[in-house]
Amino acid sequence: MIAYSDIVSIERDMTSAFEAKTMYFAYIITFTDKAGNIDSFRFYQALTDAAKWETLKSKVIYVNPAVKINESIL
């Protein structure tokens, strides 16, 4: 489990996926691990879970105002 305070950035990836009729957006979550190293993982957010996603982002920002959240796709 990663503490919200350890999250460095959440950035939208160009990857997306479909499963049945649900679309998923990919995000790269970068964080600092317990040893102080930077690591990351890909996270898929279902389009149908938009409210949960907004709640998660607000919690991360509340605990860690320095977090960089970028949902733009270049």
Side-chain angles (χ1 to χ4, degrees):
M1 183 159 194
I2 300 168
Y4 293 152
S5 59
D6 292 335
I7 296 175
V8 175
S9 65
I10 300 172
E11 296 185 85
R12 174 97 181 266
D13 188 21
M14 292 180 66
T15 308
S16 61
F18 282 96
E19 183 177 311
K21 294 181 180 182
T22 304
M23 182 174 184
Y24 292 86
F25 296 116
Y27 291 86
I28 303 296
I29 298 181
T30 305
F31 62 98
T32 305
D33 66 13
K34 292 183 182 191
N37 300 315
I38 299 292
D39 201 355
S40 64
F41 64 93
R42 182 171 277 119
F43 172 81
Y44 288 93
Q45 177 257 323
L47 186 58
T48 56
D49 288 336
K52 290 179 186 177
W53 180 242
E54 292 300 320
T55 300
L56 173 66
K57 288 189 309 184
S58 66
K59 287 179 182 181
V60 171
I61 291 169
Y62 178 78
V63 172
N64 184 0
V67 71
K68 175 185 168 190
I69 298 178
N70 181 3
E71 294 193 71
S72 299
I73 297 178
L74 300 176

